[in-house]
Amino acid sequence: MDTSDDLLIFAIEASHEYGERVSRSLGIALSAHEERSFEDGEHKIRSLVNVRNRDVFVIQSLYGDAQQSVNDKLVRLLIFIGALKDASAARVTAVIPYLAYARKDRRTQSRDPVTTRYLAQLLESVGTDRVVSLDVHNLAAFENAYRCRIDHLEARELFVRYFAPWLRNDELTVVSPDVGGFKRADAFREALSRRLGRPLGLAFMEKRRQRGLVSGETLVGDVAGRTVIIIDDLISTGGTILRALKACYAEGAAHVCAAASHGLFVGNAAALVAEPGLGKLVITDSVTPFRLPLELVSRKVEILDSARLFAEAIARIHSGESVSELLQS
């Protein structure tokens, strides 16, 4: 992949492994930087190379893990971007495979926070010129929250390439586990249908959430005797996928598997993955499934590489080519 000399790629320590895979796909090495933590919990981060008038990309996936909370990772990202702008970088792009705080994009109760907008303001306040992320929870809210440029990547074609050869002879229905994800499920169904050269079914679950409690058991669409692919943007506790799985089998589904761009797997999510009625669970590598037992991951979970997708997006942004064409190819 051709890149010019003014392109620099940094990966903050918590996302170093992911950043290495992005940089290998680009054919350039990660740029050197220093991170230091202090006894009181504060930290600093700075580039060890000259960034003046350079096109800089900083990779940091914003999910909490055993070493750092999501807030720790966010503050490190903000401090580093601010330092790069102060060092006269021509442009700084935040590459965030999993974008935290994206689920609270509107007020559902009085005095609720709208964290999608607040996160955008934080990133913009330190001089972020562009944000690139993968399958955010609500695309419209993402687009409306940011005043800087944004690029929204999608894992849809990764899932299509995985499922098409495996299920090419099955009668298929794609299921959205809630009404909010219907457009995402329909877009995946259309893409998979084009690849297989035949029509596929589409269904969705009724879902209501009030004060943290989820209700609604109605499944709209035909799944009887069919292989079902439940598609969502993320899996947190797994409750939403589990409700949809049980509803599909109650309506006569022959086999159920699931796909989600981001696997957080908090709480009792391991029970979902171990559920005997669930076939393969397919996720991307935007979040490391460290909360699941290794044996369970190797047996039930398929992890797709999204680093090449981000590498191609970075190359296109740097050269001024279309990112939209990347998603259509």
Side-chain angles (χ1 to χ4, degrees):
M1 196 177 294
D2 292 332
T3 53
S4 59
D5 292 339
D6 64 341
L7 171 63
L8 295 178
I9 309 291
F10 292 93
I12 296 179
E13 186 177 295
S15 294
H16 182 80
E17 183 181 352
Y18 190 94
E20 284 279 8
R21 287 186 277 119
V22 173
S23 69
R24 282 198 298 270
S25 293
L26 284 165
I28 64 174
L30 290 174
S31 295
H33 74 283
E34 176 192 32
E35 295 184 47
R36 289 182 58 192
S37 296
F38 300 102
E39 290 83 356
D40 61 357
E42 294 183 7
H43 43 261
K44 81 167 190 177
I45 179 169
R46 69 184 182 104
S47 170
L48 295 177
V49 299
N50 184 6
V51 300
R52 181 178 295 274
N53 297 327
R54 309 290 286 275
D55 191 12
V56 180
F57 293 78
V58 181
I59 300 170
Q60 175 80 308
S61 201
L62 294 178
Y63 62 91
D65 58 28
Q67 285 73 45
Q68 294 178 11
S69 72
V70 60
N71 299 325
D72 285 333
K73 291 183 178 182
L74 173 59
V75 170
R76 282 171 167 81
L77 176 62
L78 294 171
I79 290 173
F80 195 27
I81 291 173
L84 292 167
K85 294 296 290 187
D86 284 348
S88 300
R91 179 174 67 176
V92 178
T93 299
V95 179
I96 309 175
Y98 175 69
L99 186 66
Y101 292 112
R103 282 176 280 179
K104 194 60 183 169
D105 51 44
R106 62 190 177 92
R107 292 187 180 91
T108 55
Q109 300 181 68
S110 60
R111 297 176 294 282
D112 262 356
V114 185
T115 55
T116 295
R117 176 161 54 86
Y118 307 156
L119 182 61
Q121 292 170 338
L122 284 170
L123 286 165
E124 291 163 353
S125 71
V126 294
T128 306
D129 296 287
R130 195 171 196 136
V131 174
V132 185
S133 193
L134 176 72
D135 281 328
V136 298
H137 185 64
N138 183 329
L139 178 55
F142 178 61
E143 291 174 335
N144 289 328
Y146 286 81
R147 298 298 173 262
C148 67
R149 293 188 175 184
I150 58 171
D151 290 287
H152 181 252
L153 306 184
E154 297 171 348
R156 180 170 59 243
E157 288 300 324
L158 301 180
F159 294 139
V160 167
R161 288 199 292 269
Y162 175 81
F163 283 112
W166 177 36
L167 301 175
R168 61 182 177 272
N169 297 319
D170 291 31
E171 289 295 317
L172 295 172
T173 293
V174 176
V175 172
S176 172
D178 54 41
V179 177
F182 183 81
K183 288 185 177 180
R184 179 185 303 109
D186 192 32
F188 171 66
R189 179 194 62 83
E190 288 184 353
L192 185 57
S193 178
R194 286 194 300 270
R195 181 66 62 92
L196 295 175
R198 56 188 172 86
L200 307 179
L202 181 65
F204 66 90
M205 281 288 297
E206 173 196 21
K207 178 181 175 181
R208 297 184 297 274
R209 185 188 299 273
Q210 186 174 15
R211 299 185 182 277
L213 299 176
V214 175
S215 61
E217 306 296 331
T218 303
L219 177 67
V220 179
D222 182 18
V223 299
R226 291 170 166 258
T227 295
V228 169
I229 305 173
I230 302 171
I231 188 91
D232 209 350
D233 63 314
L234 67 89
I235 296 173
S236 182
T237 63
T240 297
I241 297 286
L242 186 60
R243 284 176 56 257
L245 180 144
K246 290 180 177 179
C248 288
Y249 277 123
E251 293 297 323
H255 180 73
V256 178
C257 49
S261 301
H262 314 290
L264 298 178
F265 302 119
V266 299
N268 198 34
L272 163 70
V273 183
E275 171 68 32
L278 178 66
K280 279 289 186 181
L281 175 59
V282 187
I283 59 173
T284 78
D285 54 358
S286 65
V287 178
T288 303
F290 66 94
R291 294 185 178 94
L292 296 178
L294 288 176
E295 179 277 331
L296 191 57
V297 172
S298 63
R299 180 166 54 89
K300 296 288 290 286
V301 180
E302 191 73 30
I303 305 172
L304 305 184
D305 175 25
S306 65
R308 291 189 181 188
L309 178 63
F310 276 96
E312 180 63 35
I314 289 170
R316 285 172 178 259
I317 292 167
H318 178 65
S319 62
E321 297 178 67
S322 171
V323 176
S324 298
E325 289 178 3
L326 167 65
L327 300 179
Q328 294 165 5
S329 62

